[in-house]
Amino acid sequence: MLFARFKAIYTHKFASAYSTTEEVKLAKREWAIALKGFQEPLLAYAVERTKERFAWPPTISEFLSVIQTAYKAYGLPEPRQAYMEACGCRHNPQENRWSHAAVYFAGSETGWHYLSTEDERTTRPIFEKHYTRLVDKVINGEKLVIPKPVMIEDKSAPVLDDLLNDLSKQLNLTESEIAPHLYYMYKTKGTKIRVLYRERAQEALKALGYSGHLPH
């Protein structure tokens, strides 16, 4: 596709650059190696910009430089920079101010844990595969929006406040004196640690005169 576009754009200049069938064959192989991984939308964008910048068919180096301008035109970091950004923010991805949403989604699809535990040789090709696909979406006009973190409502808070108030009245103690005994309520329900802390709290409050049963 690329050479057909160049031939149509540069006509006799293209023929002068690649005068024999063998030269075209060798050139296509080198271009294929250099452009491996780049998808159609990004290449099409680069071809359009190439027409504006070059009077003669571009070299591989020149064409790659045009591709880099495509990233900048859409506010995208180039793949290497995107990978480094994702690795640097892999521990708290939703708290980071990303240079572009495509970096976040490429990291998410690669796997934040995977980026944290495997080396660059393993993770970078996978990340760049996802990133390149997302870049194509951006160039095609798709808007990527990073989801906002969902805040989980702490439903234990009202229960804890009521319990503190009740115990304070029953035992004639301040809430600050009782609060340490109710630490277990901040632990996940059903876990062994919550059960253990509740039992200790029950015994301690019983010694203070509490005859009721603490909530599980």
Side-chain angles (χ1 to χ4, degrees), residues 169-184:
K169 291 178 180 178
Q170 289 181 42
L171 303 177
N172 196 28
L173 296 171
T174 64
E175 291 187 1
S176 61
E177 291 175 309
I178 296 169
H181 299 296
L182 302 183
Y183 174 69
Y184 80 93

Side-chain angles (χ1 to χ4, degrees), residues 86-177:
C87 288
C89 305
R90 62 190 181 275
H91 297 299
N92 296 294
Q94 289 196 312
E95 296 179 9
N96 184 53
R97 296 185 65 179
W98 296 95
S99 60
H100 196 283
V103 183
Y104 167 83
F105 283 108
S108 179
E109 292 177 18
T110 303
W112 301 117
H113 179 71
Y114 191 65
L115 287 171
S116 299
T117 56
E118 300 295 333
D119 60 21
E120 180 177 344
R121 183 179 59 181
T122 304
T123 58
R124 185 177 169 187
I126 297 172
F127 174 88
E128 290 190 356
K129 178 182 178 181
H130 291 305
Y131 184 64
T132 301
R133 179 179 55 79
L134 289 160
V135 167
D136 292 339
K137 287 187 175 184
V138 173
I139 292 175
N140 278 329
E142 184 172 334
K143 187 175 181 180
L144 304 177
V145 180
I146 298 173
K148 293 182 179 179
V150 178
M151 302 303 292
I152 300 174
E153 181 183 359
D154 184 5
K155 296 182 179 180
S156 67
V159 176
L160 181 59
D161 289 341
D162 291 342
L163 184 58
L164 271 172
N165 186 47
D166 290 343
L167 288 172
S168 177
K169 291 178 180 178
Q170 289 181 42
L171 303 177
N172 196 28
L173 296 171
T174 64
E175 291 187 1
S176 61
E177 291 175 309

Side-chain angles (χ1 to χ4, degrees), residues 191-202:
T191 59
K192 291 182 179 180
I193 192 67
R194 180 173 173 124
V195 172
L196 176 62
Y197 283 8
R198 179 189 171 277
E199 289 175 353
R200 290 178 180 176
Q202 186 75 52

Side-chain angles (χ1 to χ4, degrees), residues 2-153:
L2 189 62
F3 269 50
R5 291 291 307 277
F6 283 162
K7 187 174 182 179
I9 294 166
Y10 294 105
T11 59
H12 69 281
K13 293 179 180 179
F14 180 85
S16 298
Y18 304 103
S19 56
T20 68
T21 303
E22 185 63 22
E23 285 180 347
V24 172
K25 182 179 179 181
L26 291 173
K28 282 185 175 181
R29 185 179 66 181
E30 291 302 319
W31 278 78
I33 294 171
L35 300 180
K36 183 179 180 181
F38 294 114
Q39 301 301 313
E40 180 65 25
L42 186 58
L43 295 177
Y45 175 92
V47 168
E48 292 303 312
R49 301 291 77 77
T50 297
K51 290 193 298 184
E52 300 168 358
R53 291 181 55 182
F54 299 104
W56 284 80
T59 63
I60 291 175
S61 176
E62 289 170 337
F63 192 74
L64 288 173
S65 70
V66 174
I67 288 177
Q68 299 308 312
T69 67
Y71 289 115
K72 293 179 181 178
Y74 286 89
L76 292 154
E78 56 89 17
R80 170 66 177 168
Q81 291 175 330
Y83 173 77
M84 296 304 294
E85 181 182 354
C87 288
C89 305
R90 62 190 181 275
H91 297 299
N92 296 294
Q94 289 196 312
E95 296 179 9
N96 184 53
R97 296 185 65 179
W98 296 95
S99 60
H100 196 283
V103 183
Y104 167 83
F105 283 108
S108 179
E109 292 177 18
T110 303
W112 301 117
H113 179 71
Y114 191 65
L115 287 171
S116 299
T117 56
E118 300 295 333
D119 60 21
E120 180 177 344
R121 183 179 59 181
T122 304
T123 58
R124 185 177 169 187
I126 297 172
F127 174 88
E128 290 190 356
K129 178 182 178 181
H130 291 305
Y131 184 64
T132 301
R133 179 179 55 79
L134 289 160
V135 167
D136 292 339
K137 287 187 175 184
V138 173
I139 292 175
N140 278 329
E142 184 172 334
K143 187 175 181 180
L144 304 177
V145 180
I146 298 173
K148 293 182 179 179
V150 178
M151 302 303 292
I152 300 174
E153 181 183 359

